[in-house]
Amino acid sequence: MEKMKADVQEFFKLPQKEKNAYAKQPTGVDGYGQNFVLSEEQKLDWADMLFLQTLPIPERKMRFWPQQPTSFRETLDKYSLELVKVSKCLLKLMAKNLAINPEQFANMFEDGRQSLRMNYYPLCEQASKVLGLTPHSDFGGLTLLVQVNEVQGLQIKRNGKWIPIRPLPGAFIVNIGDVIEILSNGEYKSIEHRAVVDPEKERLSIAAFYSPCDGTIIGPLPELTKENGPKYKSVSREEYIKYVLTRKIDSKSSVNLLKLES
């Protein structure tokens, strides 16, 4: 974890020209730049990011993986594979809490998709007038977030209020994503969150997203619908992703799309 933090810091310290060598392309999501720019009218977040799809390995787009610092690629490869172990452990514990088969639940994510977003939030003297990251919930299964430096900025929405999160040194912040909310039939809730910027200091973080494998049906698990029925529609993973990549990042729109009328 510490080596990953150090390499991310070094990357964002590179001259702008060197970082631009890994710039995102208009038709893709991998690379350096802004977070999912969908239109020219879109209000941009006060942040730069490096987004990389890390699993499955054959689908890595290596032209976007920085070669400076020289250890970056090897560090990210090792970090990515270690995160899979952490995610599987968490999924099995969640399954036990839901009283469903832990192995079966974890297997839905076997050979699943993982991506990392490395975030750089510059300081802003008028911090109250901008957002580092627009309020949203994560559309995948689990998100493992680690704070790179000691500057706080993550906030979660609870009971209509924004609550700042104080990270613990050496620990992950775990966000439940929309897919887990849907699969659990609402027993677990995805969390709406945002990032604010600091007026005096830059902030860096690394978010890892873990989603089910291709071919998975995104819908409530049958064993969790026996008492009250399904609360969400079921769609193919491909249909779900297609919607996610064309929507405006806003609140919990992925979950709301699939929610059934009560």
Side-chain angles (χ1 to χ4, degrees):
M1 181 189 289
E2 294 306 315
K3 180 58 177 167
M4 189 73 250
K5 289 181 182 180
D7 282 0
V8 167
Q9 284 184 304
E10 287 303 309
F11 171 77
F12 282 112
K13 287 179 182 177
L14 292 174
Q16 192 64 45
K17 184 178 180 180
E18 291 187 39
K19 289 184 288 190
N20 287 343
Y22 305 103
K24 291 169 64 173
Q25 301 301 303
T27 56
V29 295
D30 286 73
Y32 169 77
Q34 285 277 342
N35 186 33
F36 296 121
V37 180
L38 301 176
S39 73
E40 293 183 1
E41 293 77 28
Q42 179 181 334
K43 184 178 180 180
L44 299 181
D45 297 329
W46 190 268
D48 288 340
M49 54 159 269
L50 176 65
F51 184 90
L52 298 171
Q53 297 179 76
T54 44
L55 293 174
I57 291 176
E59 296 189 24
R60 291 177 175 178
K61 297 178 174 60
M62 298 307 296
R63 74 171 295 292
F64 296 106
W65 285 47
Q67 298 187 60
Q68 294 294 330
T70 54
S71 58
F72 188 98
R73 291 186 172 188
E74 182 182 357
T75 302
L76 180 55
D77 178 60
K78 291 179 178 178
Y79 185 70
S80 165
L81 297 177
E82 287 299 316
L83 288 181
V84 173
K85 299 176 186 177
V86 177
S87 299
K88 284 182 178 179
C89 180
L90 290 169
L91 288 167
K92 289 179 180 180
L93 291 172
M94 293 170 71
K96 288 181 180 179
N97 191 45
L98 292 168
I100 61 176
N101 187 309
E103 293 295 333
Q104 190 175 350
F105 188 56
N107 284 344
M108 296 182 71
F109 291 79
E110 190 71 29
D111 300 321
R113 291 185 173 271
Q114 181 198 74
S115 55
L116 265 71
R117 189 183 69 216
M118 290 141 273
N119 307 297
Y120 172 77
Y121 303 99
L123 64 86
C124 179
E125 294 181 357
Q126 295 181 309
S128 62
K129 296 183 179 181
V130 300
L131 277 176
L133 190 60
T134 302
H136 69 288
S137 58
D138 295 328
F139 67 81
L142 285 177
T143 302
L144 303 181
L145 179 76
V146 64
Q147 192 81 12
V148 173
N149 59 2
E150 301 305 314
V151 181
Q152 296 182 47
L154 178 65
Q155 298 180 344
I156 64 169
K157 196 172 190 179
R158 184 169 183 176
N159 299 324
K161 296 181 179 179
W162 289 105
I163 312 291
I165 300 300
R166 185 185 298 274
L168 298 174
F172 289 106
I173 296 170
V174 180
N175 278 355
I176 302 294
D178 295 337
V179 164
I180 293 288
E181 175 170 337
I182 295 165
L183 292 175
S184 71
N185 205 30
E187 291 298 315
Y188 283 106
K189 302 291 187 184
S190 63
I191 189 73
E192 188 176 351
H193 55 283
R194 69 180 186 180
V196 297
V197 297
D198 192 278
E200 298 178 353
K201 299 177 182 178
E202 63 186 17
R203 174 175 173 260
L204 295 95
S205 66
I206 307 169
F209 307 98
Y210 197 46
S211 297
C213 55
D214 292 352
T216 301
I217 297 298
I218 307 299
L221 297 173
E223 54 266 55
L224 298 176
T225 64
K226 293 176 181 177
E227 289 189 16
N228 300 310
K231 298 178 182 177
Y232 307 86
K233 293 182 282 187
S234 296
V235 298
S236 69
R237 182 190 177 281
E238 289 68 29
E239 185 180 350
Y240 178 73
I241 294 300
K242 184 178 179 181
Y243 166 71
V244 164
L245 293 180
T246 56
R247 73 183 174 94
K248 177 185 176 184
I249 297 175
D250 181 35
S251 187
K252 295 181 63 169
S253 55
S254 297
V255 166
N256 293 337
L257 174 77
L258 294 185
K259 201 171 268 187
L260 294 171
E261 297 291 335
S262 55

